[in-house]
Amino acid sequence: MVREIGATALAAWLADEARHKPCLLDVREPWEIERAAIAGSVAIPMHLIPMRMNELPDGPVVTICHHGVRSYQIALYLEKAGFDEVYSLAGGVEEWANSVDPTMARY
């Protein structure tokens, strides 16, 4: 079962210097990332994950998309592929903009 993490919980994790930072895996299309992205994210479009998941570092991964649907699917895929600590950002960048960064562009 995929674990989800809320935007404010992820922001707190990223701000916690004592905690190992997750890989922020943005699975949206390039045009979407150009409009709005969480700083430090690694961009790999959803359809390329099977070919490029070997590029992901060891450790926790948080998958990100626009509203949380694609990221949930990719988190499930990564879990089935053997990744141990995978989370999907609940509500995606839309929720991040609502809860964490109101200056983020929306689309």
Side-chain angles (χ1 to χ4, degrees):
M1 182 163 161
V2 172
R3 292 173 281 193
E4 291 188 288
I5 187 168
T8 56
L10 178 57
W13 184 357
L14 295 172
D16 186 347
E17 293 298 323
R19 227 174 143 187
H20 180 73
K21 302 294 181 255
C23 171
L24 302 177
L25 175 60
D26 196 324
V27 300
R28 296 174 299 147
E29 294 299 314
W31 70 267
E32 294 176 281
I33 294 169
E34 287 176 14
R35 293 190 179 179
I38 298 172
S41 297
V42 173
I44 303 177
M46 182 179 187
H47 70 280
L48 296 178
I49 295 296
M51 294 170 282
R52 295 183 54 194
M53 67 182 173
N54 63 328
E55 296 174 24
L56 299 176
D58 290 334
V61 175
V62 176
T63 58
I64 300 166
C65 69
H66 189 194
H67 288 111
V69 177
R70 288 173 284 178
S71 63
Y72 190 93
Q73 293 172 338
I74 293 301
L76 183 61
Y77 179 84
L78 292 175
E79 281 182 347
K80 288 181 180 181
F83 284 76
D84 292 328
E85 193 175 357
V86 181
Y87 303 85
S88 174
L89 178 59
V93 294
E94 183 68 23
E95 184 56 33
W96 182 269
N98 288 333
S99 301
V100 177
D101 183 2
T103 66
M104 178 181 272
R106 296 184 179 156
Y107 63 101

